């Protein structure tokens, strides 16, 4: 049965309000954004598990005279005509249009075990970005060159359902790159040893088909997919299989199931680079379109880097990369806390 | 058309061959790489500019035994749906030596494409397309770095305006944490971690980074520093080869 858990809880288990991000971005500590009534277009994601009213930012200098309807239409018009300039006005005040600080993540929610027909499943929401991961286990013969290993086959599906930027048909470049990224994370981090998936050396092994389907695309797909995969793998229950000595056939006992041995917990943190200098964490789809580059850092619990994925974009100095890594370490703790809470609540 | 002869692997001295940086183990390097810990020297590399007649720009880049051929078309006509109103549309095709391009090649193409997008001044050629076709001729380690170098040389040969140059450097970390640059295929297999960077010629910034295996944060910083130092040799080589090309013409 699935359990709905809210992410971002403070140390005393109270739901964390927007005004208290877990890590402030390095910058002026004062709350820079003013409270005002914003037009509907600027509302943060609606209906998110009963959010308290969050502050909204209005760029300074636009509509300063009237704080009601007038400022709203002016800001919306400015946003359409000059999206990058509009965004820069917020960045100058060290905040973003949806009210977040530069180093703040969107509300993370995870729901485990919702797909009963799958062997393991998880639904992750990062703000509006929604990814569901379903894992099915099937039998296969181990590969010839390593007869004691099974297979893990990830596949990321970005369909027109999640965003109009994707067309129907064979997977596009972004979906293929994301699938390759997830496969690399699995291999680099050794989240599961493929030897654990072997049932009989050379004869039978498990294949775990991990299907990650994006239901709603609002940026930061890699973080959501990695998190969904991790949560789903923790949820997987594999039936015990014994090989009958006489017939040589496999006997599956569905009543006796074992969880997978998850060795490492890789967590991805994505950043967007603006104007070659400013780094923001957890970009939305709009922010990704305006950004000049992206970086994704995957860390495990020992502080080891499983992946530093920077596919082109504006150049970063080694010092800026170090800042990203520091934030990634904190994010790992947040996510690990959330996952542990969910797993405990399911048991 | 300047022809750089491919260096034979293992040959220590290279008198008269331009663009050679021999391995530092035992031999005196032609271009002083400094005393790097753990064999931080690049394999001998060489390049041929403009070997192909049809494409607007082409380059063949060889690093040790790894060899990649790059062909460039651009700025050229772009198909309606992919047209960008304010900048050039870039497309990269990576053809493996054997077989059809798969998901792995697609992800590599994305890395190379976004690196090139960051340096090419696409806004000077709106509503056009730039196509880079990379053919793997032989793979003996450090393939992605070689592809990046070939792409950059191809862009220079085609004369496309760029903000900066870039070069690819691969670092391998073995089980003890020893760092080696430009690993061969054997070194890559034995390495615990492989990191490939695209370094820009402006302030040696990191344009692209991709890693395989795990490493610590301190090791990552060491690799970036080593890659930035090695990039100096590659950029000197670029300058020499373009100088040669235009001094002959």
């Amino acid at each position: 049965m699935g359990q709905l858990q809210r992410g971002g809880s403070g140390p005393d288990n109270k739901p964390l309000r927007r005004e208290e991000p877990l890590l402030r971005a390095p910058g002026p500590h004062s709350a820079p954004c003013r409270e005002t009534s914003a037009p509907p277009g600027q509302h943060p994601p609606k209906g998110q598990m009963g959010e308290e009213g969050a502050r909204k930012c209005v760029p300074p200098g636009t509509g300063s005279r009237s704080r009601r309807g007038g400022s709203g239409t002016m800001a919306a018009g400015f946003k359409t005509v000059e999206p990058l300039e509009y965004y820069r006005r917020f960045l100058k005040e060290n905040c973003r249009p949806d009210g977040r600080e530069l180093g703040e993540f969107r509300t993370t929610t995870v729901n485990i075990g919702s797909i009963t027909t799958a062997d393991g499943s998880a639904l992750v929401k990062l703000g509006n970005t929604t990814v569901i991961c379903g894992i099915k286990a099937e039998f296969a013969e181990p590969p010839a060159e390593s007869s004691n290993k099974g297979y893990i086959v990830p596949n990321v599906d970005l369909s027109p359902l999640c965003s109009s930027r994707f067309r129907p048909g064979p997977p596009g470049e972004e979906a293929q790159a994301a699938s390759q990224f997830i496969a690399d994370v699995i291999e680099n981090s050794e989240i599961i040893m493929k030897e654990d998936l072997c049932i009989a050396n050379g004869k039978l092994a498990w294949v775990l088909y991990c299907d990650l389907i994006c239901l709603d695309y609002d940026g930061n797909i890699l973080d959501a997919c990695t998190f969904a995969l991790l949560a789903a793998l923790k949820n997987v229950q594999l039936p015990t299989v014994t090989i009958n000595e006489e017939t040589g056939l496999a006997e599956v006992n569905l009543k006796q199931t074992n969880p997978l041995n998850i060795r490492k917990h890789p967590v991805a943190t994505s950043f967007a680079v603006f104007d070659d200098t400013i780094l923001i964490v957890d970009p939305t789809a709009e922010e990704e379109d305006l950004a000049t580059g992206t970086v994704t850092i995957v860390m495990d619990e020992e502080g080891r880097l499983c992946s530093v994925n920077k596919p082109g974009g504006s150049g970063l100095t080694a010092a800026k990369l170090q800042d990203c890594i520091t934030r990634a370490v904190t994010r790992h703790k947040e996510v690990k806390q959330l996952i542990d809470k969910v797993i405990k609540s399911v048991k | 058309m300047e022809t750089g002869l491919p260096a034979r692997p293992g040959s220590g001295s290279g008198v008269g061959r331009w663009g050679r940086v021999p391995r530092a183990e035992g031999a005196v390097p032609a271009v002083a790489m400094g005393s790097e810990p753990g064999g931080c020297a690049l394999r001998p590399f060489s390049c041929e500019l403009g070997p192909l007649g049809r494409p607007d720009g082409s380059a063949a880049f060889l690093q040790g035994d790894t060899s990649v051929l790059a062909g460039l078309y651009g700025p050229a006509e772009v198909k309606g749906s992919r047209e960008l109103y304010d900048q050039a549309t870039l497309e990269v095709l990576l053809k493996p030596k054997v077989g059809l391009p798969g998901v792995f090649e697609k992800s590599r193409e994305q890395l190379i494409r976004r690196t090139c997008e960051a340096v090419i001044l696409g806004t000077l050629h709106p509503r056009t397309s730039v196509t880079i076709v990379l053919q793997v001729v032989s793979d003996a380690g450090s393939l992605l770095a070689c592809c990046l170098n070939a792409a950059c040389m191809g862009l220079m040969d085609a004369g496309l305006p760029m903000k900066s140059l870039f070069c690819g450097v691969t670092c391998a970390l073995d089980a003890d944490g020893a760092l080696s640059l430009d690993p061969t295929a054997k070194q890559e297999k034995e390495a615990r971690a492989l990191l490939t960077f695209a370094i820009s010629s402006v302030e040696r910034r990191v344009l692209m980074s991709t890693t395989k295996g795990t490493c610590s944060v301190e090791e990552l910083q060491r690799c970036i520093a080593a890659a930035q130092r090695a990039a100096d040799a590659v950029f000197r080589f670029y300058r020499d080869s373009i100088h040669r090309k235009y001094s002959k013409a």
Side-chain angles (χ1 to χ4, degrees):
Chain A
M1 281 292 127
Q3 283 293 316
L4 209 64
Q5 290 293 338
R6 279 199 63 185
S9 288
D12 48 351
N13 239 13
K14 280 203 294 260
L16 209 62
R17 291 201 308 267
R18 262 299 166 60
E19 292 90 66
E20 301 155 20
L22 273 171
L23 181 81
R24 286 188 175 276
H29 209 67
S30 57
C33 300
R34 293 186 294 270
E35 254 179 5
T36 181
S37 69
Q42 284 178 18
H43 275 295
K46 292 197 252 269
Q48 275 298 311
M49 324 294 168
E51 295 272 12
E52 294 102 340
R55 298 167 317 165
K56 291 148 198 102
C57 294
V58 167
T62 58
S64 50
R65 247 179 293 164
S66 103
R67 288 194 152 217
R68 304 233 159 229
S71 83
T73 40
M74 259 195 75
F78 185 51
K79 182 178 176 190
T80 315
V81 171
E82 286 279 348
L84 195 54
E85 239 349 279
Y86 174 84
Y87 203 72
R88 282 199 189 110
R89 302 276 176 94
F90 284 97
L91 287 180
K92 242 190 298 191
E93 304 274 326
N94 266 331
C95 76
R96 292 140 96 173
D98 53 4
R100 289 188 282 157
E101 301 252 332
L102 299 187
E104 193 185 337
F105 264 84
R106 289 173 282 184
T107 317
T108 315
T109 324
V110 59
N111 181 330
I112 282 191
S114 44
I115 305 179
T116 48
T117 47
D119 297 295
S121 63
L123 174 81
V124 166
K125 277 171 101 87
L126 232 81
N128 267 342
T129 302
T130 311
V131 171
I132 186 156
C133 175
I135 302 189
K136 292 287 282 184
E138 291 180 14
F139 288 134
E141 238 182 62
E145 60 271 11
S146 31
S147 55
N148 62 339
K149 289 191 179 171
Y151 300 89
I152 308 179
V153 183
N155 181 44
V156 176
D157 183 26
L158 296 171
S159 65
L161 169 74
C162 60
S163 165
S164 58
R165 67 178 77 193
F166 304 116
R167 310 306 306 148
E173 188 197 77
E174 185 156 358
Q176 294 197 45
S179 302
Q180 184 63 41
F181 174 78
I182 298 290
D184 287 341
V185 167
I186 294 175
E187 175 142 349
N188 291 346
S189 64
E190 292 185 343
I191 183 172
I192 289 183
M193 290 303 276
K194 290 199 178 144
E195 283 81 354
D196 293 345
L197 294 173
C198 183
I199 303 167
N201 198 325
K203 294 205 203 77
L204 201 62
W206 285 113
V207 185
L208 292 178
Y209 289 110
C210 312
D211 293 304
L212 295 130
I213 297 164
C214 179
L215 301 173
D216 196 347
Y217 187 94
D218 194 18
N220 205 1
I221 201 76
L222 297 178
D223 285 13
C225 286
T226 321
F227 192 2
L229 180 76
L230 179 63
L233 283 171
K234 288 201 90 127
N235 181 235
V236 165
Q237 295 284 347
L238 287 180
T240 7
V241 183
T242 44
I243 307 265
N244 191 322
E245 301 279 323
E246 301 139 31
T247 57
L249 292 171
E251 279 163 16
V252 182
N253 186 351
L254 288 166
K255 302 244 173 37
Q256 237 187 338
T257 56
N258 313 306
L260 284 173
N261 179 14
I262 310 285
R263 288 152 186 269
K264 299 278 166 67
H265 298 80
V267 170
T269 314
S270 292
F271 302 81
V273 188
F274 270 89
D275 291 337
D276 300 348
T277 44
I278 308 176
L279 283 166
I280 60 168
V281 117
D282 191 15
T284 63
E286 285 176 349
E287 289 167 357
E288 277 182 355
D289 289 339
L290 294 171
T292 50
T294 55
V295 189
T296 306
I297 311 251
V298 182
M299 297 202 78
D300 67 13
E301 57 266 40
E302 291 162 17
R304 293 188 68 79
L305 292 163
C306 304
S307 175
V308 176
N309 189 44
K310 183 184 188 305
S314 37
L316 286 181
T317 55
K320 276 254 162 351
L321 271 175
Q322 188 57 46
D323 291 339
C324 298
I325 292 172
T326 319
R327 181 66 181 97
V329 171
T330 336
R331 175 66 179 164
H332 188 281
K333 295 201 191 81
E334 295 167 25
V335 170
K336 186 86 181 14
Q337 232 178 356
L338 183 58
I339 271 210
D340 289 341
K341 202 159 63 160
V342 181
I343 298 290
K344 217 165 26 161
S345 71
V346 170
K347 286 212 172 71
Chain B
M1 296 289 167
E2 184 56 49
T3 307
L5 296 167
R8 271 171 284 122
S11 46
S13 60
V15 180
R17 289 227 191 109
W18 55 281
R20 261 203 69 158
V21 181
R23 276 213 174 277
E25 281 121 28
V28 174
V31 179
M33 289 286 290
S35 45
E36 312 282 10
C40 285
L42 305 173
R43 286 178 291 182
F45 49 85
S46 55
C47 160
E48 187 177 341
L49 280 171
L52 307 173
R54 302 287 304 182
D56 297 325
S58 55
F61 203 88
L62 293 94
Q63 265 176 241
D65 278 332
T66 309
S67 157
V68 174
L69 184 60
L72 244 119
Y73 295 90
E77 174 139 5
V78 63
K79 252 188 284 214
S81 58
R82 293 203 298 183
E83 185 183 78
L84 291 171
Y85 72 93
D86 60 343
Q87 54 181 293
T89 313
L90 199 63
E91 190 186 359
V92 175
L93 296 160
L94 178 60
K95 308 276 187 208
K97 185 168 160 204
V98 193
L100 289 167
V103 181
F104 180 69
E105 278 74 33
K106 239 326 183 250
S107 103
R108 288 252 161 122
E109 283 172 12
Q110 195 205 42
L111 293 174
I112 299 172
R113 181 178 59 83
R114 287 172 75 163
T115 310
C116 294
E117 273 174 6
V119 293
I120 293 179
L121 293 169
T123 45
L124 289 179
H125 301 283
R127 292 200 170 89
T128 62
S129 81
V130 175
T131 310
I132 306 176
V133 184
L134 297 158
Q135 172 67 57
V136 176
V137 174
S138 67
D139 180 7
S142 309
L143 184 63
L144 182 58
C146 195
C147 291
L148 286 162
N149 292 333
C152 188
M153 295 232 80
L155 285 165
M156 280 197 281
D157 189 55
L160 280 166
M162 294 193 272
K163 260 183 257 187
S164 74
L165 299 177
F166 61 92
C167 76
V169 185
T170 312
C171 307
L173 286 166
D174 68 8
D176 309 317
L179 199 152
S180 56
L181 290 176
D182 201 14
T184 58
K186 184 163 168 288
Q187 282 174 314
E188 281 190 349
K189 236 194 281 223
E190 293 162 2
R192 171 191 20 119
L194 268 179
L195 299 91
T196 307
F197 302 104
I199 308 283
S200 157
S201 62
V202 171
E203 291 172 14
R204 301 293 182 263
R205 287 179 173 224
V206 177
L207 283 176
M208 189 276 292
S209 153
T210 183
T211 64
K212 190 168 140 126
T214 50
C215 65
S216 73
V217 181
E218 182 258 331
E219 283 168 348
L220 172 78
Q221 295 293 354
R222 262 202 301 145
C223 289
I224 294 180
Q228 285 170 328
R229 279 193 297 268
D232 291 338
V234 187
F235 290 131
R236 251 195 311 262
F237 173 66
Y238 284 178
R239 179 173 279 272
D240 289 343
S241 37
I242 293 291
H243 190 242
R244 277 224 171 186
K245 174 185 171 188
Y246 286 106
S247 65
K248 285 265 173 99

